[in-house]
Amino acid sequence: MLDDAFIFFRYADNFAAGVGPVYNAGEHVEGYTSFLWVAVLALGRKLGADTVILARVLGFGFAAATLVAVALAHRWIPGAEARTTRLAALLLGTCGVFTAWSLTGMDVALFAFLVATCMLLHARLSRAPEPAPAGGLALSSGLLGPVLLGGLLVLARPEGLLVFGVLALDLTLCTWRRTPARTSVALAAFTAIVLPHFLWRLSYYGYPLPNTFYAKVGGTALQIENGAVYTLRFLIPAALVLLPTVAVLVRGRWAQRDSGGRVLPLLCGAYMLYVVLVGGDSMPAFRFFAPILPLLCLMAALSMQRLEHLRSFAVPFTLAAAVYGIAVTHLDSGINERIHRDPVSKSGMAVGMWLA
């Protein structure tokens, strides 16, 4: 487990005890990045669960659910074959950038699950938009799920707004002419979910964003340089996952009729640019890229499906990539050593024992 997980636990325990979502009673500082994760753990604590055990069980559950969602993605993405999405799940389940976070007690697996499911629901809606309801004033059942998930996505992490924004913009461009009223009502419903939390945050903590953002993001040239280096280092464990997609994009073969798959490169590109601009991350196993790894694995498998000369090599290539992913997980110092030999946790333990 990572020591940062215990920040979540502290907030959750105080929240459940009636003190409020604070680290210290009476001090309103938003030192966490996921209100949803704090709220879920606080609810579990309120019901009598052990916060540490609950966080690990839920993290493992959300990671497993993400794998299942990727394996079954052919049911949502037009043109995707069952074999293709199962190969994507194999790529995902053997990459340490994703698997390393399932038992850390952090919010990463939750956010990855929400990103993946929002993307799949977007693909389904883009493929077969429903007719506008009578009068165009009622929110159809087809948009209710994405709206709720989109709201949870933003409550899970601030960058959830970027993910939802890209998907919402693409869906609006696809369906606005056909169902303008339905789209407008859906966006209004999303605002009704997110805006109250934003206003509460502003009144309770006094700032529009979590304190972690102000502590880590500065907007300097050095920060962007750090983000670029962080992204380049991510290419080591993700090399074989990204290779098929790069080949397809270079050949200009990604363009397709369906909107669900079309938005994948745009979403992943926007998210990677965001990671560069905020300067990357100091935690192990490339935490910032873990939430979009399910999408990158789907893109890799879809790319192999679309290139005829790669279709026959899809299975052996995926098996080779899986072996590579497992090997890198154990050999890359940024993943294995940073987790199993975490100097921050060990130093923190020594300081804690001395204070005790």
Side-chain angles (χ1 to χ4, degrees):
M1 297 188 69
L2 295 183
D3 56 312
D4 276 48
F6 288 84
I7 299 175
F8 283 114
F9 303 160
R10 171 85 169 187
Y11 275 92
D13 287 351
N14 281 336
F15 202 179
V19 179
V22 295
Y23 194 88
N24 295 318
E27 298 179 359
H28 291 193
V29 179
E30 190 178 9
Y32 56 86
T33 50
S34 177
F35 175 80
L36 182 61
W37 190 234
V38 170
V40 168
L41 296 180
L43 178 60
R45 179 64 173 170
K46 193 73 174 179
L47 296 175
D50 181 280
T51 309
V52 177
I53 296 176
L54 177 64
R56 305 193 83 186
V57 170
L58 289 177
F60 182 84
F62 282 119
T66 305
L67 283 170
V68 172
V70 170
L72 300 178
H74 61 277
R75 299 184 180 182
W76 287 274
I77 299 178
E81 300 173 0
R83 185 189 76 158
T84 298
T85 56
R86 289 166 187 163
L87 292 178
L90 179 59
L91 285 174
L92 179 64
T94 52
C95 184
V97 175
F98 176 77
T99 59
W101 292 99
S102 60
L103 293 174
T104 59
M106 300 286 287
D107 59 320
V108 179
L110 167 65
F111 189 54
F113 173 75
L114 291 174
V115 170
T117 50
C118 278
M119 176 60 219
L120 294 179
L121 284 176
H122 170 272
R124 169 176 285 182
L125 287 173
S126 301
R127 175 179 57 182
E130 299 176 359
L137 297 177
L139 180 63
S140 70
S141 59
L143 277 179
L144 182 59
V147 166
L148 292 176
L149 277 176
L152 293 177
L153 191 67
V154 177
L155 295 181
R157 283 193 67 86
E159 54 264 39
L161 186 60
L162 169 65
V163 176
F164 181 81
V166 173
L167 296 179
L169 178 60
D170 182 73
L171 187 61
T172 300
L173 294 175
C174 293
T175 63
W176 178 261
R177 293 183 179 179
R178 305 177 193 176
T179 57
R182 188 183 71 144
T183 305
S184 300
V185 173
L187 293 176
F190 169 78
T191 304
I193 296 174
V194 174
L195 185 59
H197 172 258
F198 177 80
L199 295 177
W200 168 81
R201 164 192 279 160
L202 202 58
S203 63
Y204 194 81
Y205 294 115
Y207 292 91
L209 293 171
N211 187 57
T212 49
F213 176 83
Y214 301 104
K216 296 182 179 181
V217 180
T220 64
L222 179 59
Q223 172 184 302
I224 297 176
E225 180 183 338
N226 291 337
V229 172
Y230 180 81
T231 302
L232 289 174
R233 290 188 62 248
F234 165 70
L235 298 182
I236 297 175
L240 295 187
V241 171
L242 297 175
L243 188 59
T245 302
V246 172
V248 168
L249 292 176
V250 168
R251 297 189 59 179
R253 297 288 299 277
W254 183 264
Q256 57 180 28
R257 295 177 182 176
D258 66 276
S259 300
R262 181 189 64 198
V263 77
L264 268 172
L266 176 62
L267 176 57
C268 292
Y271 195 95
M272 295 178 79
L273 178 61
Y274 162 81
V275 173
V276 172
L277 293 178
V278 299
D281 186 40
S282 61
M283 291 192 184
F286 304 98
R287 175 181 63 139
F288 277 7
F289 285 112
I292 63 164
L293 198 63
L295 307 186
L296 293 175
C297 291
L298 277 172
M299 286 179 61
L302 288 170
S303 297
M304 288 186 284
Q305 176 184 308
R306 286 173 187 165
L307 289 179
E308 292 298 328
H309 64 282
L310 287 182
R311 286 178 64 90
S312 58
F313 295 99
V315 173
F317 178 85
T318 304
L319 292 176
V323 172
Y324 175 81
I326 295 172
V328 171
T329 299
H330 291 277
L331 297 176
D332 190 295
S333 59
I335 300 177
N336 186 61
E337 291 185 13
R338 287 285 306 281
I339 291 177
H340 292 288
R341 302 175 184 176
D342 185 4
V344 177
S345 294
K346 290 185 178 180
S347 299
M349 184 184 300
V351 172
M353 294 298 294
W354 183 85
L355 289 172

